[in-house]
Amino acid sequence: MSTPPTSAVAHRICPVCEACCGLELRIADGRVESIRGHEADVFSAGYICPKGVALRDLHEDPDRLRTPLIKRDGRFVEASWDEAFAEIERRLVPLREQHGADAAALVIGNPTVHKMGLLMYLPRLVRALGSRNVFSASTLDQMPKQLSSGLMFGHWLSIPVPDIERCDHLLMLGANPVASNGSLWTVPDFRGKARAMQARGGRLVVIDPRRSETAAMADEHLFIRPGGDVFLLLGMAHTLFDERLLRLGRLGVHVAGVDELQQAVAPFSPEQVAARCGIPAEAIRTQARALAAAQRAVVYGRLGTCTQEYGTLASWLIDVLNVLTGHFDEPGGAMFPKAAVFAANTLGTPGTGRGIVTGRHRSRVSGVPEVFGEYPMGCLAEEIETPGTGQVRALITVAGNPVLSAPNGPRLSAAFEQLDFMVSVDLYLNETTRHADVILPGRSPLEDTHYDTAFAQLSFRNHARYSPAVLTPDPAHLPEWQTLLRLIAILRGEGAHANVRRLDDELLADEVRRTAGPQAEAVIRAVSRWEGPERLLDLGLRSGPYGDGFGQNPEGLTLKKLMAAPAGIDLGPLQPRVPEVLRTPSGRIELAPPMLLQDLQRAGQDLARPVPEFVIVGRRQVRSNNSWMHNLAILAKGPYRCTVLVHPADARRLGLSDAGVARIANGGRAIEAQVELSDDMMPGVVSLPHGWGHGVPGTRMALAAERPGANLNAVLDESVRDPLSGNAVLSGVAVSVSAA
Ligand SMILES: Nc1nc2c(c(=O)[nH]1)N[C@H]1C(S)=C(S)[C@@H](COP(=O)(O)OP(=O)(O)OC[C@H]3O[C@@H](n4cnc5c(=O)[nH]c(N)nc54)[C@H](O)[C@@H]3O)O[C@H]1N2
Ligand SMILES: Nc1nc2c(c(=O)[nH]1)N[C@H]1C(S)=C(S)[C@@H](COP(=O)(O)OP(=O)(O)OC[C@H]3O[C@@H](n4cnc5c(=O)[nH]c(N)nc54)[C@H](O)[C@@H]3O)O[C@H]1N2
Ligand code: SF4
Ligand SMILES: [Mo]
């Protein structure tokens, strides 16, 4: 790979959030002078938010780790890479030999999805670890959607997204893309695209317990009782059957389970569900009719619909509504992207497959089923604390900060202190990594190459973009793919000094021989000019749906071609993909998976549950990103952000005043947070952002410690989950609120 010039204009896809904006960076004397949106980018067309600009602050942050740290006598000391890996080998290998593979757990955090070197090598790390104790941010986030998609369409990664550029009715639940910039939906400049939809006569309807930034620009906003989405959606599905508004159209021959579905939703009339979701019966009917009547419409739900007790049911019903109203796999509706590389739903036999299963094994302590190879993050603490065979004694974290991001973080923090050994691959010495024995720092994103292997599968338009490194890394600082390879070598018993380039060759050759059959040797030769992630990328691109097929289709994509297109390559608007995309055993869209119908009984029994006086929900803010960007000056400046929003009427009743302090308690746990009065809140609901609670002793994030904020997750309960997906319930949790 060529070395980046020290003065130049460079282009780079932003790795912070799912919008994947193209950035334009001006470099002078090896330093970043400015960062702005890349106007010519085929996908993001110049859109950017302040976090993209903050990549310079991240690069220059003196607290960002640049060398490995080893804890000696309770204090971190700088170490060479060789010393760090030697320490890992010395301590991790005997532990696994004595206690077995399950004694070492893995925690995978959110930034992993945004780093090609991490995402591509993580499956290999998981394999080398051979432990059932794998945990990730997925069970704090989107596992319900992955499960419902897997059950309906046959693959965990077949998730449809709104075709917003051709849509004229967007019904959105539990998402705030104006602040979050979209999730499970890569859509830079959501606001601009929604405005364009409105300008052509389209309607945006938002269902949210807060008049969010997105709700504020909507044509209609309805408050919903947190956790009530499943009931609203059931009431809407009921209405569609009741009023004969079904329009399956072309999909009629590709769906299974319509009758079972009709029976299952029959008990959930709008009158039955209205009180539970806090939306009047007639308003539920109106939403169903509007959706059915719209030419090109789509229902989209996100975080708020996943991080609740009925996350999987709500995620399923969203696509059920799209299918029933003819807004599925049609332009302007919910459509499946077709990514250029690593799209699992482009592999195998088109139109049929094995589908998915869960519960291939169960967690040791609570006996919860594995879902997509993971246990719920909420089970990690008990696996560390509970003695016995299979107890977790060692932990590897990769780009995760569960002490702040997982419910009951303080319990996790205490559990980490009990571990015999812990390694973190991370950029900071923070609330989680301070418990580690060895920290292996990733590089600044500006020193890494990039391709969005995950988000191209979720994009509003098909595209392929590659970013070379913007700045020259310190040659001694390992790229993360090599860090993971060295961990893999240690876990495979090849030692801390194994030749990881040779190991990389071996792993690649194994994989290609398994999948490419008689062509394997020719394929390996064809990509041999590259190494590491680039080699995997070239392999994936060339064998992917737009690829050159190693010469069979000379016009097709290769990494070389992509590198010659710094603004990216547009692969066109989303296209209908049913039935080709399906991987269910029946070859159909399963509208009534038995696991989900069974769970409906739980929802039915819950209809009459009394309303708690106060529930808490989360909130995302443009200048914050989960738990890890609070140390960057450009984002940290401005008003204090970790406030709890309280409706003025609630505040009066509780004796709370603006800028006063509220005590928020749940069971025996409590936090204090600064009050911000807001009539954007639904009465009875308060909102606090997550990812705060810095300033803990032993961390090294000086700026973040100045305004530490309150840790929302310190009052949430790790044992409350959506039982199907194992996803944490982070929304709509009953709390008591009082003046502190
Ligand atoms: N109450 C509540 N809790 C929530 C949520 C909520 O809405 N409410 N949201 C949940 C969601 S959706 C998610 S995804 C999770 C996120 O939770 P986590 O997966 O824990 O992610 P972050 O909090 O972003 O922490 C990221 C960690 O990765 C490190 N890091 C950043 N960049 C890199 C890199 O390039 N390389 C490496 N090696 N490390 C890096 C950071 O220093 C930090 O330690 O939080 C969840 N927690
Ligand atoms: N600026 C910024 N951007 C981010 C992140 C960040 O931390 N900061 N995090 C990134 C990550 S990891 C993710 S997963 C995405 C998430 O992105 P989104 O899915 O857009 O999630 P949020 O912005 O948290 O918005 C969730 C909305 O759901 C509402 N809500 C809460 N409970 C319920 C409920 O029960 N029902 C309904 N209908 N609504 C409810 C909340 O009030 C909130 O407005 O954002 C990503 N982008
Ligand atoms: S919206 Fe997301 S991808 Fe775009 S610049 Fe901001 S953080 Fe980066
Ligand atoms: Mo997330």
Side-chain angles (χ1 to χ4, degrees):
M1 247 150 291
S2 59
T3 318
T6 56
S7 294
V9 173
H11 295 108
R12 214 268 182 215
I13 297 160
C14 176
V16 172
C17 90
E18 297 179 44
C20 304
C21 303
L23 309 177
E24 181 164 300
L25 302 95
R26 276 176 201 280
I27 313 295
D29 303 324
R31 278 199 64 200
V32 176
E33 271 198 331
S34 66
I35 301 183
R36 36 180 263 169
H38 183 194
E39 302 280 342
D41 187 289
V42 297
F43 184 68
S44 62
Y47 180 76
I48 187 175
C49 91
K51 294 183 297 298
V53 181
L55 288 180
R56 175 169 75 172
D57 298 57
L58 174 64
H59 184 76
E60 295 178 355
D61 185 352
D63 287 337
R64 182 173 60 80
L65 302 178
R66 275 122 173 124
T67 55
L69 301 179
I70 299 182
K71 200 181 270 164
R72 301 235 184 261
D73 304 321
R75 291 175 63 94
F76 281 110
V77 294
E78 291 191 358
S80 71
W81 288 87
D82 283 341
E83 285 166 338
F85 288 111
E87 178 76 2
I88 295 167
E89 181 175 28
R90 186 175 75 78
R91 296 184 60 187
L92 188 57
V93 170
L95 248 159
R96 291 175 76 239
E97 275 169 6
Q98 197 187 338
H99 300 287
D102 288 340
L106 179 64
V107 164
I108 303 163
N110 167 282
T112 306
V113 208
H114 297 271
K115 298 296 276 289
M116 124 170 126
L118 289 178
L119 197 60
M120 288 186 184
Y121 284 79
L122 211 76
R124 295 168 167 190
L125 181 67
V126 170
R127 228 171 292 136
L129 191 68
S131 169
R132 291 179 169 185
N133 287 307
V134 175
F135 305 82
S136 90
S138 295
T139 54
L140 308 172
D141 185 348
Q142 83 288 350
M143 196 59 100
K145 189 73 197 178
Q146 291 191 270
L147 176 55
S148 74
S149 300
L151 293 170
M152 294 179 80
F153 315 122
H155 198 283
W156 299 95
L157 301 172
S158 286
I159 297 174
V161 302
D163 178 24
I164 189 166
E165 291 192 312
R166 294 179 286 188
C167 170
D168 47 36
H169 182 97
L170 172 53
L171 173 61
M172 180 176 298
L173 305 94
N176 184 16
V178 171
S180 71
N181 283 294
S183 184
L184 295 186
W185 185 21
T186 288
V187 58
D189 193 18
F190 166 80
R191 191 201 302 259
K193 292 179 175 63
R195 286 234 169 93
M197 177 183 78
Q198 290 169 319
R200 57 178 188 262
R203 276 171 64 76
L204 172 64
V205 182
V206 172
I207 315 275
D208 197 302
R210 178 171 78 94
R211 192 179 311 109
S212 65
E213 293 79 354
T214 307
M217 71 169 293
D219 300 278
E220 185 181 356
H221 167 226
L222 295 176
F223 281 137
I224 185 165
R225 277 192 41 211
D229 301 80
V230 62
F231 301 104
L232 164 67
L233 296 163
L234 284 165
M236 287 178 67
H238 181 283
T239 305
L240 294 176
F241 284 110
D242 193 41
E243 302 188 4
R244 297 174 199 284
L245 297 173
L246 256 48
R247 191 178 65 183
L248 290 170
R250 176 177 69 83
L251 289 191
V253 293
H254 300 301
V255 301
V258 179
D259 295 341
E260 292 89 330
L261 178 71
Q262 178 165 15
Q263 266 178 32
V265 304
F268 299 94
S269 68
E271 280 70 21
Q272 282 292 321
V273 300
R276 187 66 176 77
C277 62
I279 298 177
E282 204 41 37
I284 297 174
R285 286 206 178 83
T286 305
Q287 288 304 328
R289 290 173 194 146
L291 183 68
Q295 258 308 309
R296 296 181 157 200
V298 61
V299 190
Y300 164 75
R302 202 37 287 272
L303 196 88
T305 58
C306 280
T307 52
Q308 50 168 278
E309 281 168 274
Y310 300 100
T312 307
L313 288 183
S315 299
W316 161 62
L317 287 164
I318 285 164
D319 285 326
V320 162
L321 291 182
N322 284 324
V323 172
L324 293 183
T325 53
H327 299 314
F328 195 85
D329 201 44
E330 288 290 333
M335 300 190 83
F336 292 104
K338 188 193 266 184
V341 63
F342 303 126
N345 65 26
T346 62
L347 306 175
T349 316
T352 182
R354 273 184 301 179
I356 62 150
V357 290
T358 65
R360 291 167 301 174
H361 43 84
R362 289 183 170 262
S363 75
R364 181 179 63 102
V365 179
S366 286
V368 303
E370 149 280 333
V371 176
F372 199 23
E374 301 181 17
Y375 293 134
M377 189 73 92
C379 291
L380 175 56
E382 66 187 21
E383 292 297 333
I384 299 171
E385 292 163 354
T386 313
T389 315
Q391 180 181 9
V392 170
R393 295 161 191 271
L395 176 67
I396 303 175
T397 71
V398 180
N401 189 9
V403 168
L404 294 192
S405 58
N408 203 356
R411 179 177 174 190
L412 268 181
S413 184
F416 291 167
E417 277 304 291
Q418 290 183 23
L419 290 166
D420 292 336
F421 187 62
M422 174 167 163
V423 186
S424 292
V425 182
D426 208 284
L427 302 186
Y428 284 100
L429 175 43
N430 65 16
E431 299 76 15
T432 294
T433 62
R434 75 189 176 110
H435 297 289
D437 298 286
V438 178
I439 307 179
L440 303 167
R443 285 174 177 173
S444 154
L446 299 180
E447 297 166 339
D448 276 338
T449 61
H450 188 70
Y451 184 94
D452 270 307
T453 47
F455 300 111
Q457 310 190 35
L458 295 162
S459 293
F460 80 96
R461 206 178 154 87
N462 292 316
H463 65 100
R465 294 174 301 162
Y466 173 84
S467 308
V470 171
L471 298 173
T472 313
D474 171 357
H477 193 156
L478 287 194
E480 287 176 306
W481 64 273
Q482 288 186 29
T483 298
L484 295 196
L485 270 177
R486 289 190 71 168
L487 291 174
I488 291 164
I490 292 171
L491 291 166
R492 285 164 56 106
E494 294 167 21
H497 297 285
N499 180 338
V500 292
R501 289 208 154 78
R502 210 179 52 216
L503 174 58
D504 196 32
D505 292 345
E506 273 172 36
L507 293 172
L508 179 96
D510 282 354
E511 284 159 16
V512 175
R513 285 184 194 126
R514 248 184 288 122
T515 50
Q519 276 84 47
E521 302 312 316
V523 166
I524 294 167
R525 258 195 320 278
V527 296
S528 62
R529 60 187 295 185
W530 312 109
E531 66 162 0
E534 272 69 18
R535 184 164 55 177
L536 290 168
L537 183 56
D538 194 37
L539 177 68
L541 282 168
R542 299 178 73 177
S543 53
Y546 311 89
D548 82 338
F550 303 99
Q552 284 174 23
N553 165 25
E555 299 299 298
L557 279 183
T558 63
L559 178 55
K560 195 163 163 243
K561 251 184 212 163
L562 207 50
M563 284 177 167
I569 294 177
D570 179 41
L571 298 170
L574 306 185
Q575 303 289 339
R577 290 192 59 190
V578 173
E580 158 267 311
V581 71
L582 301 175
R583 294 293 183 274
T584 48
S586 64
R588 297 189 180 203
I589 296 173
E590 295 293 349
L591 284 183
M595 183 196 266
L596 302 183
L597 296 194
Q598 204 179 341
D599 201 37
L600 272 182
Q601 294 175 10
R602 186 169 62 98
Q605 285 156 9
D606 189 17
L607 265 175
R609 194 165 70 178
V611 184
E613 191 181 7
F614 282 105
V615 297
I616 196 161
V617 300
R619 169 165 108 250
R620 278 175 164 74
Q621 298 161 308
V622 172
R623 286 179 180 273
S624 169
N625 189 56
N626 296 322
S627 74
W628 72 276
M629 295 189 92
H630 300 145
N631 207 51
L632 308 179
I634 194 172
L635 300 179
K637 67 186 183 193
Y640 183 69
R641 294 196 180 82
C642 189
T643 57
V644 57
L645 300 182
V646 184
H647 191 275
D650 288 337
R652 261 195 307 281
R653 204 148 47 86
L654 295 167
L656 295 173
S657 54
D658 199 49
V661 179
R663 181 172 188 278
I664 301 164
N666 173 21
R669 301 191 296 275
I671 52 171
E672 294 188 349
Q674 184 178 316
V675 174
E676 184 177 339
L677 297 187
S678 167
D679 45 25
D680 290 336
M681 291 310 302
M682 182 176 188
V685 184
V686 299
S687 162
L688 184 70
H690 76 283
W692 297 86
H694 304 294
V696 180
T699 57
R700 194 181 295 170
M701 295 188 300
L703 192 63
E706 286 175 23
R707 292 204 283 184
N711 180 6
L712 166 60
N713 281 313
V715 287
L716 302 187
D717 188 337
E718 75 284 11
S719 67
V720 188
R721 291 186 286 270
D722 165 30
L724 301 188
S725 64
N727 208 88
V729 174
L730 307 170
S731 223
V733 176
V735 289
S736 66
V737 184
S738 56

